[in-house]
Amino acid sequence: MLFVFCLPILQFKIFSVDVFLGARIDSNHLGVKSLLYPQIDSEDMTWTGDACTLMSNADVGKKFNVDDCIISSSNVAGKKKVIIIGNSFAASLFPMFIFKDPSVETSLIASWGASPAPNLPNDGPWSLSNKFFWNEVVLELVQTLNEGDMLFLASDLASLSPSRPSQSSINSLMTFERDLENISDTLLSRKIHFGLLGPAPFLREANCHPNMALEQYFAPNPNACTFYSLADTLRRLGAINDVLERLKSRKNFHVFNILDDLCFNEICSFIDGDGTILYRDEFSHFSFEISEKLQASYYSWVANLFGTQKLDLD
């Protein structure tokens, strides 16, 4: 079932400039540009997007120093390392990944427009940077990990669950599964964990900017936000969730699920029950605020994984 909300908004153009006179979201992290705002890590050091991301094909060949992209540092002997990789979704979750435990060190390196797996079709404006990211950057990052560490992939998986599956989408899902199996095998040979951010709601299809999710006072030209119910979201995610269930049978593969935190009262909308805005833009990048709220559950998930999951090849 789809839920359509007609929201009152007054928005128009003056000399090609958008003018919006309705109520606005109270956040300093709205819009795609906010993904590159300098972020403060757990040691009050600044993480800058330009130093730790591939933003276009022009960045092909860019050199990364994983130490420059640390967001939670550790000086503890025998520390565990987590390297976060993915597309712009990974950057939008920055606050969630700040791990407040001196025994775990986390770094974040992202590539705009990167596919969620190496061999998926990517013919868009980031095709070259995507290839460079998977074929060179990720391989170099993996070499910095040791036994017991984790590579965590946070990417937009929506393209793998289209509303109307086709043979092409079925082939892509098969490629995704094979790629993740190969990554898992490579990491398992060195006793390294492989974590994945689970699927998120289909908010890009809501045709809705965050400000449109607020209750407005006037509406000469109402706009509609179309939200999926949780039940319909789960139905549409059925095929990819089946893939993830198969992958979870592998010793080193783990999924961090966030869907329940993003769907309030059985509806996957822009705002949760506490009034927290969930997305910073119409492209379904997570808001700074929900990323902060997810930090506790992510912390528990990682702490449990490192505390109980011992990789044994025997």
Side-chain angles (χ1 to χ4, degrees), residues 101-155:
D101 185 325
S103 67
V104 177
E105 182 170 277
T106 303
S107 302
L108 193 160
I109 297 92
S111 182
W112 272 212
S115 301
N119 293 303
L120 287 171
N122 191 320
D123 300 321
W126 296 281
S127 59
L128 298 180
S129 58
N130 172 72
K131 184 177 181 180
F132 172 67
F133 178 68
W134 280 111
N135 292 348
E136 298 189 38
V137 175
V138 173
L139 294 182
E140 291 179 4
L141 292 174
V142 168
Q143 293 306 310
T144 68
L145 294 171
N146 299 309
E147 178 178 328
D149 293 341
M150 179 166 65
L151 182 73
F152 187 94
L153 173 60
S155 282

Short mmCIF file of all heavy atoms in Angstrom, two decimals, residues 101-155:
data_model
loop_
_atom_site.label_atom_id
_atom_site.label_comp_id
_atom_site.label_asym_id
_atom_site.label_seq_id
_atom_site.Cartn_x
_atom_site.Cartn_y
_atom_site.Cartn_z
N ASP A 101 34.81 3.90 21.65
CA ASP A 101 35.47 2.81 22.36
C ASP A 101 36.95 2.87 21.98
O ASP A 101 37.29 2.78 20.79
CB ASP A 101 34.85 1.48 21.94
CG ASP A 101 35.41 0.29 22.72
OD1 ASP A 101 36.61 0.31 23.05
OD2 ASP A 101 34.67 -0.65 23.00
N PRO A 102 37.84 3.02 22.95
CA PRO A 102 39.26 3.18 22.64
C PRO A 102 39.91 1.96 22.02
O PRO A 102 41.04 2.04 21.54
CB PRO A 102 39.88 3.49 24.02
CG PRO A 102 38.92 2.89 25.00
CD PRO A 102 37.56 3.07 24.39
N SER A 103 39.20 0.84 21.98
CA SER A 103 39.79 -0.37 21.41
C SER A 103 39.46 -0.54 19.94
O SER A 103 39.90 -1.50 19.31
CB SER A 103 39.31 -1.60 22.19
OG SER A 103 37.91 -1.81 21.99
N VAL A 104 38.66 0.38 19.36
CA VAL A 104 38.26 0.28 17.95
C VAL A 104 38.61 1.56 17.21
O VAL A 104 38.30 2.66 17.67
CB VAL A 104 36.75 0.00 17.83
CG1 VAL A 104 36.33 -0.04 16.35
CG2 VAL A 104 36.38 -1.32 18.50
N GLU A 105 39.26 1.42 16.07
CA GLU A 105 39.61 2.57 15.22
C GLU A 105 38.83 2.47 13.92
O GLU A 105 38.80 1.42 13.27
CB GLU A 105 41.11 2.58 14.94
CG GLU A 105 41.57 3.77 14.11
CD GLU A 105 43.08 3.86 14.08
OE1 GLU A 105 43.65 4.41 15.04
OE2 GLU A 105 43.68 3.36 13.11
N THR A 106 38.19 3.57 13.53
CA THR A 106 37.34 3.57 12.33
C THR A 106 37.81 4.62 11.33
O THR A 106 38.10 5.76 11.71
CB THR A 106 35.88 3.85 12.71
OG1 THR A 106 35.43 2.88 13.66
CG2 THR A 106 34.98 3.80 11.48
N SER A 107 37.84 4.24 10.05
CA SER A 107 38.14 5.17 8.96
C SER A 107 37.00 5.10 7.95
O SER A 107 36.32 4.08 7.82
CB SER A 107 39.46 4.82 8.27
OG SER A 107 40.54 4.82 9.20
N LEU A 108 36.78 6.21 7.23
CA LEU A 108 35.69 6.28 6.25
C LEU A 108 36.22 6.84 4.94
O LEU A 108 36.75 7.95 4.90
CB LEU A 108 34.55 7.15 6.80
CG LEU A 108 33.20 7.12 6.07
CD1 LEU A 108 32.10 7.63 7.01
CD2 LEU A 108 33.18 7.94 4.80
N ILE A 109 36.06 6.07 3.87
CA ILE A 109 36.45 6.49 2.52
C ILE A 109 35.28 6.16 1.59
O ILE A 109 34.83 5.02 1.54
CB ILE A 109 37.73 5.77 2.04
CG1 ILE A 109 38.92 6.14 2.93
CG2 ILE A 109 38.03 6.15 0.60
CD1 ILE A 109 39.15 5.20 4.07
N ALA A 110 34.79 7.16 0.86
CA ALA A 110 33.61 6.96 0.02
C ALA A 110 33.85 7.42 -1.41
O ALA A 110 34.75 8.23 -1.68
CB ALA A 110 32.42 7.72 0.61
N SER A 111 33.04 6.91 -2.31
CA SER A 111 33.12 7.27 -3.72
C SER A 111 31.73 7.59 -4.23
O SER A 111 30.86 6.71 -4.28
CB SER A 111 33.74 6.12 -4.52
OG SER A 111 33.86 6.46 -5.89
N TRP A 112 31.50 8.85 -4.59
CA TRP A 112 30.18 9.29 -5.07
C TRP A 112 29.76 8.46 -6.28
O TRP A 112 30.51 8.26 -7.22
CB TRP A 112 30.22 10.75 -5.46
CG TRP A 112 29.95 11.78 -4.41
CD1 TRP A 112 29.36 12.99 -4.61
CD2 TRP A 112 30.25 11.74 -3.01
NE1 TRP A 112 29.28 13.70 -3.41
CE2 TRP A 112 29.82 12.95 -2.42
CE3 TRP A 112 30.85 10.79 -2.17
CZ2 TRP A 112 29.95 13.22 -1.06
CZ3 TRP A 112 30.99 11.06 -0.81
CH2 TRP A 112 30.54 12.26 -0.28
N GLY A 113 28.53 7.98 -6.26
CA GLY A 113 27.99 7.24 -7.40
C GLY A 113 28.55 5.86 -7.58
O GLY A 113 28.29 5.22 -8.61
N ALA A 114 29.29 5.35 -6.59
CA ALA A 114 29.86 4.00 -6.72
C ALA A 114 28.77 2.95 -6.63
O ALA A 114 27.80 3.07 -5.87
CB ALA A 114 30.91 3.76 -5.64
N SER A 115 28.91 1.89 -7.39
CA SER A 115 27.99 0.76 -7.32
C SER A 115 28.20 0.02 -6.01
O SER A 115 29.28 0.05 -5.43
CB SER A 115 28.24 -0.19 -8.49
OG SER A 115 28.08 0.46 -9.73
N PRO A 116 27.16 -0.68 -5.52
CA PRO A 116 27.31 -1.42 -4.27
C PRO A 116 28.11 -2.72 -4.39
O PRO A 116 28.26 -3.44 -3.40
CB PRO A 116 25.86 -1.71 -3.86
CG PRO A 116 25.09 -1.67 -5.12
CD PRO A 116 25.77 -0.67 -6.00
N ALA A 117 28.63 -3.00 -5.58
CA ALA A 117 29.50 -4.16 -5.78
C ALA A 117 30.34 -3.90 -7.03
O ALA A 117 29.94 -3.15 -7.92
CB ALA A 117 28.68 -5.44 -5.92
N PRO A 118 31.52 -4.51 -7.12
CA PRO A 118 32.49 -4.16 -8.17
C PRO A 118 32.03 -4.36 -9.60
O PRO A 118 32.37 -3.54 -10.48
CB PRO A 118 33.68 -5.09 -7.86
CG PRO A 118 33.53 -5.47 -6.44
CD PRO A 118 32.06 -5.49 -6.16
N ASN A 119 31.27 -5.41 -9.89
CA ASN A 119 30.96 -5.75 -11.28
C ASN A 119 29.55 -5.40 -11.72
O ASN A 119 29.10 -5.85 -12.78
CB ASN A 119 31.22 -7.25 -11.50
CG ASN A 119 32.70 -7.58 -11.39
OD1 ASN A 119 33.53 -7.03 -12.11
ND2 ASN A 119 33.03 -8.47 -10.47
N LEU A 120 28.86 -4.59 -10.94
CA LEU A 120 27.54 -4.13 -11.37
C LEU A 120 27.68 -3.06 -12.44
O LEU A 120 28.65 -2.30 -12.45
CB LEU A 120 26.78 -3.56 -10.17
CG LEU A 120 26.26 -4.58 -9.16
CD1 LEU A 120 25.73 -3.88 -7.92
CD2 LEU A 120 25.17 -5.44 -9.79
N PRO A 121 26.75 -2.99 -13.38
CA PRO A 121 26.82 -1.96 -14.43
C PRO A 121 26.85 -0.56 -13.83
O PRO A 121 26.10 -0.26 -12.89
CB PRO A 121 25.52 -2.19 -15.22
CG PRO A 121 25.14 -3.60 -14.93
CD PRO A 121 25.58 -3.87 -13.53
N ASN A 122 27.74 0.27 -14.35
CA ASN A 122 27.83 1.66 -13.90
C ASN A 122 28.30 2.50 -15.08
O ASN A 122 29.50 2.67 -15.29
CB ASN A 122 28.79 1.79 -12.71
CG ASN A 122 28.71 3.16 -12.04
OD1 ASN A 122 28.60 4.18 -12.71
ND2 ASN A 122 28.78 3.17 -10.72
N ASP A 123 27.35 3.00 -15.84
CA ASP A 123 27.66 3.75 -17.05
C ASP A 123 27.34 5.24 -16.91
O ASP A 123 27.27 5.96 -17.91
CB ASP A 123 26.88 3.18 -18.24
CG ASP A 123 27.20 1.72 -18.50
OD1 ASP A 123 28.39 1.36 -18.37
OD2 ASP A 123 26.28 0.94 -18.79
N GLY A 124 27.13 5.69 -15.69
CA GLY A 124 26.75 7.08 -15.45
C GLY A 124 27.95 8.01 -15.35
O GLY A 124 29.07 7.67 -15.76
N PRO A 125 27.74 9.18 -14.76
CA PRO A 125 28.80 10.20 -14.69
C PRO A 125 29.96 9.82 -13.77
O PRO A 125 30.98 10.51 -13.77
CB PRO A 125 28.06 11.43 -14.17
CG PRO A 125 26.85 10.90 -13.47
CD PRO A 125 26.46 9.68 -14.23
N TRP A 126 29.82 8.73 -12.98
CA TRP A 126 30.89 8.31 -12.09
C TRP A 126 31.47 6.96 -12.52
O TRP A 126 32.08 6.26 -11.72
CB TRP A 126 30.38 8.20 -10.65
CG TRP A 126 29.92 9.49 -10.05
CD1 TRP A 126 30.70 10.48 -9.52
CD2 TRP A 126 28.56 9.94 -9.91
NE1 TRP A 126 29.92 11.52 -9.06
CE2 TRP A 126 28.60 11.21 -9.28
CE3 TRP A 126 27.33 9.39 -10.24
CZ2 TRP A 126 27.44 11.93 -8.99
CZ3 TRP A 126 26.17 10.10 -9.95
CH2 TRP A 126 26.24 11.35 -9.34
N SER A 127 31.33 6.61 -13.77
CA SER A 127 31.74 5.28 -14.22
C SER A 127 33.23 5.02 -14.02
O SER A 127 33.62 3.94 -13.56
CB SER A 127 31.38 5.09 -15.70
OG SER A 127 32.01 6.08 -16.50
N LEU A 128 34.08 6.00 -14.33
CA LEU A 128 35.52 5.80 -14.21
C LEU A 128 35.97 5.80 -12.75
O LEU A 128 36.82 5.00 -12.36
CB LEU A 128 36.26 6.89 -15.00
CG LEU A 128 36.00 6.92 -16.50
CD1 LEU A 128 36.79 8.04 -17.17
CD2 LEU A 128 36.34 5.58 -17.13
N SER A 129 35.42 6.71 -11.96
CA SER A 129 35.79 6.74 -10.55
C SER A 129 35.29 5.49 -9.83
O SER A 129 35.94 4.99 -8.91
CB SER A 129 35.26 8.01 -9.87
OG SER A 129 33.85 8.10 -9.98
N ASN A 130 34.14 4.97 -10.25
CA ASN A 130 33.62 3.73 -9.67
C ASN A 130 34.59 2.58 -9.93
O ASN A 130 34.91 1.80 -9.02
CB ASN A 130 32.26 3.41 -10.28
CG ASN A 130 31.75 2.04 -9.88
OD1 ASN A 130 31.34 1.80 -8.76
ND2 ASN A 130 31.77 1.10 -10.84
N LYS A 131 35.06 2.47 -11.17
CA LYS A 131 36.00 1.40 -11.52
C LYS A 131 37.30 1.56 -10.74
O LYS A 131 37.85 0.57 -10.21
CB LYS A 131 36.28 1.44 -13.02
CG LYS A 131 37.18 0.32 -13.53
CD LYS A 131 37.33 0.39 -15.04
CE LYS A 131 38.21 -0.73 -15.55
NZ LYS A 131 38.36 -0.67 -17.03
N PHE A 132 37.79 2.78 -10.64
CA PHE A 132 39.02 3.04 -9.89
C PHE A 132 38.84 2.71 -8.41
O PHE A 132 39.72 2.13 -7.76
CB PHE A 132 39.43 4.51 -10.07
CG PHE A 132 40.58 4.95 -9.21
CD1 PHE A 132 41.85 4.45 -9.41
CD2 PHE A 132 40.38 5.88 -8.19
CE1 PHE A 132 42.91 4.86 -8.61
CE2 PHE A 132 41.43 6.30 -7.41
CZ PHE A 132 42.70 5.78 -7.61
N PHE A 133 37.67 3.06 -7.87
CA PHE A 133 37.39 2.82 -6.46
C PHE A 133 37.46 1.33 -6.13
O PHE A 133 38.15 0.91 -5.19
CB PHE A 133 36.01 3.38 -6.12
CG PHE A 133 35.56 3.15 -4.70
CD1 PHE A 133 36.20 3.80 -3.65
CD2 PHE A 133 34.50 2.31 -4.41
CE1 PHE A 133 35.79 3.61 -2.34
CE2 PHE A 133 34.07 2.12 -3.11
CZ PHE A 133 34.73 2.76 -2.07
N TRP A 134 36.74 0.53 -6.92
CA TRP A 134 36.68 -0.90 -6.62
C TRP A 134 37.97 -1.64 -7.00
O TRP A 134 38.40 -2.54 -6.27
CB TRP A 134 35.50 -1.53 -7.34
CG TRP A 134 34.20 -1.31 -6.63
CD1 TRP A 134 33.14 -0.54 -7.04
CD2 TRP A 134 33.80 -1.86 -5.37
NE1 TRP A 134 32.12 -0.57 -6.12
CE2 TRP A 134 32.49 -1.38 -5.09
CE3 TRP A 134 34.41 -2.71 -4.46
CZ2 TRP A 134 31.82 -1.74 -3.92
CZ3 TRP A 134 33.73 -3.07 -3.30
CH2 TRP A 134 32.45 -2.58 -3.05
N ASN A 135 38.57 -1.29 -8.11
CA ASN A 135 39.73 -2.04 -8.60
C ASN A 135 41.04 -1.65 -7.95
O ASN A 135 42.00 -2.44 -7.95
CB ASN A 135 39.86 -1.87 -10.12
CG ASN A 135 38.74 -2.55 -10.87
OD1 ASN A 135 37.97 -3.33 -10.30
ND2 ASN A 135 38.62 -2.25 -12.15
N GLU A 136 41.11 -0.44 -7.38
CA GLU A 136 42.36 -0.01 -6.80
C GLU A 136 42.23 0.48 -5.35
O GLU A 136 42.90 -0.02 -4.45
CB GLU A 136 43.00 1.10 -7.66
CG GLU A 136 43.34 0.61 -9.08
CD GLU A 136 44.16 1.61 -9.86
OE1 GLU A 136 45.03 2.27 -9.27
OE2 GLU A 136 43.91 1.75 -11.08
N VAL A 137 41.34 1.43 -5.11
CA VAL A 137 41.25 2.02 -3.77
C VAL A 137 40.86 0.98 -2.73
O VAL A 137 41.52 0.83 -1.69
CB VAL A 137 40.24 3.19 -3.75
CG1 VAL A 137 40.06 3.71 -2.32
CG2 VAL A 137 40.72 4.32 -4.66
N VAL A 138 39.78 0.25 -2.98
CA VAL A 138 39.31 -0.73 -1.99
C VAL A 138 40.36 -1.82 -1.76
O VAL A 138 40.60 -2.22 -0.61
CB VAL A 138 37.97 -1.36 -2.45
CG1 VAL A 138 37.57 -2.51 -1.52
CG2 VAL A 138 36.87 -0.30 -2.47
N LEU A 139 41.01 -2.28 -2.82
CA LEU A 139 42.03 -3.31 -2.66
C LEU A 139 43.17 -2.83 -1.78
O LEU A 139 43.68 -3.57 -0.92
CB LEU A 139 42.55 -3.75 -4.02
CG LEU A 139 41.56 -4.46 -4.94
CD1 LEU A 139 42.23 -4.88 -6.25
CD2 LEU A 139 40.95 -5.66 -4.25
N GLU A 140 43.57 -1.57 -1.96
CA GLU A 140 44.65 -1.01 -1.13
C GLU A 140 44.20 -0.86 0.32
O GLU A 140 44.97 -1.11 1.25
CB GLU A 140 45.10 0.33 -1.69
CG GLU A 140 45.83 0.22 -3.03
CD GLU A 140 46.24 1.58 -3.58
OE1 GLU A 140 46.03 2.59 -2.88
OE2 GLU A 140 46.79 1.61 -4.70
N LEU A 141 42.94 -0.46 0.52
CA LEU A 141 42.44 -0.31 1.89
C LEU A 141 42.40 -1.65 2.61
O LEU A 141 42.74 -1.74 3.80
CB LEU A 141 41.04 0.32 1.87
CG LEU A 141 40.96 1.77 1.39
CD1 LEU A 141 39.50 2.19 1.27
CD2 LEU A 141 41.69 2.70 2.35
N VAL A 142 41.98 -2.69 1.91
CA VAL A 142 41.90 -4.01 2.52
C VAL A 142 43.27 -4.48 3.00
O VAL A 142 43.38 -5.15 4.04
CB VAL A 142 41.30 -5.02 1.52
CG1 VAL A 142 41.48 -6.46 2.02
CG2 VAL A 142 39.82 -4.73 1.31
N GLN A 143 44.31 -4.08 2.29
CA GLN A 143 45.66 -4.49 2.69
C GLN A 143 46.09 -3.90 4.02
O GLN A 143 47.03 -4.39 4.66
CB GLN A 143 46.67 -4.10 1.60
CG GLN A 143 46.51 -4.86 0.29
CD GLN A 143 46.51 -6.37 0.49
OE1 GLN A 143 47.41 -6.92 1.14
NE2 GLN A 143 45.51 -7.05 -0.05
N THR A 144 45.41 -2.86 4.47
CA THR A 144 45.77 -2.24 5.77
C THR A 144 45.04 -2.92 6.94
O THR A 144 45.31 -2.59 8.10
CB THR A 144 45.40 -0.74 5.78
OG1 THR A 144 43.98 -0.58 5.77
CG2 THR A 144 45.99 -0.03 4.58
N LEU A 145 44.15 -3.87 6.64
CA LEU A 145 43.41 -4.56 7.69
C LEU A 145 44.16 -5.81 8.14
O LEU A 145 44.87 -6.45 7.37
CB LEU A 145 42.02 -4.96 7.18
CG LEU A 145 41.05 -3.81 6.87
CD1 LEU A 145 39.80 -4.34 6.18
CD2 LEU A 145 40.69 -3.06 8.13
N ASN A 146 43.94 -6.16 9.40
CA ASN A 146 44.57 -7.33 9.99
C ASN A 146 43.51 -8.32 10.46
O ASN A 146 42.31 -8.03 10.45
CB ASN A 146 45.46 -6.92 11.17
CG ASN A 146 46.57 -5.97 10.76
OD1 ASN A 146 47.30 -6.25 9.81
ND2 ASN A 146 46.70 -4.86 11.45
N GLU A 147 43.95 -9.48 10.89
CA GLU A 147 43.04 -10.50 11.40
C GLU A 147 42.13 -9.93 12.48
O GLU A 147 42.59 -9.25 13.41
CB GLU A 147 43.84 -11.68 11.95
CG GLU A 147 42.99 -12.78 12.53
CD GLU A 147 43.81 -13.96 13.04
OE1 GLU A 147 44.89 -14.23 12.46
OE2 GLU A 147 43.37 -14.59 14.02
N GLY A 148 40.83 -10.18 12.35
CA GLY A 148 39.88 -9.71 13.33
C GLY A 148 39.30 -8.34 13.05
O GLY A 148 38.35 -7.92 13.72
N ASP A 149 39.85 -7.61 12.06
CA ASP A 149 39.33 -6.30 11.69
C ASP A 149 38.09 -6.46 10.81
O ASP A 149 37.66 -7.58 10.52
CB ASP A 149 40.40 -5.49 10.94
CG ASP A 149 41.58 -5.10 11.83
OD1 ASP A 149 41.43 -5.13 13.06
OD2 ASP A 149 42.65 -4.79 11.28
N MET A 150 37.52 -5.33 10.37
CA MET A 150 36.30 -5.41 9.55
C MET A 150 36.31 -4.39 8.42
O MET A 150 36.68 -3.23 8.61
CB MET A 150 35.05 -5.19 10.40
CG MET A 150 33.74 -5.23 9.58
SD MET A 150 32.23 -5.37 10.55
CE MET A 150 32.24 -3.83 11.46
N LEU A 151 35.87 -4.84 7.25
CA LEU A 151 35.52 -3.96 6.13
C LEU A 151 34.01 -3.84 6.14
O LEU A 151 33.29 -4.85 6.14
CB LEU A 151 36.00 -4.56 4.81
CG LEU A 151 35.74 -3.71 3.56
CD1 LEU A 151 36.68 -2.51 3.53
CD2 LEU A 151 35.91 -4.54 2.29
N PHE A 152 33.49 -2.60 6.15
CA PHE A 152 32.05 -2.38 6.23
C PHE A 152 31.60 -1.59 5.01
O PHE A 152 32.11 -0.50 4.74
CB PHE A 152 31.70 -1.61 7.51
CG PHE A 152 30.21 -1.47 7.76
CD1 PHE A 152 29.55 -2.39 8.56
CD2 PHE A 152 29.48 -0.44 7.19
CE1 PHE A 152 28.18 -2.28 8.79
CE2 PHE A 152 28.12 -0.31 7.41
CZ PHE A 152 27.46 -1.24 8.21
N LEU A 153 30.64 -2.16 4.26
CA LEU A 153 30.15 -1.54 3.04
C LEU A 153 28.80 -0.88 3.30
O LEU A 153 27.83 -1.53 3.69
CB LEU A 153 30.00 -2.61 1.95
CG LEU A 153 29.35 -2.19 0.63
CD1 LEU A 153 30.13 -1.06 -0.04
CD2 LEU A 153 29.23 -3.41 -0.31
N ALA A 154 28.74 0.44 3.09
CA ALA A 154 27.50 1.20 3.26
C ALA A 154 27.17 1.89 1.94
O ALA A 154 27.79 2.88 1.58
CB ALA A 154 27.65 2.24 4.38
N SER A 155 26.19 1.34 1.22
CA SER A 155 25.82 1.87 -0.08
C SER A 155 24.31 1.83 -0.27
O SER A 155 23.59 1.13 0.44
CB SER A 155 26.48 1.07 -1.21
OG SER A 155 27.83 1.43 -1.37
#
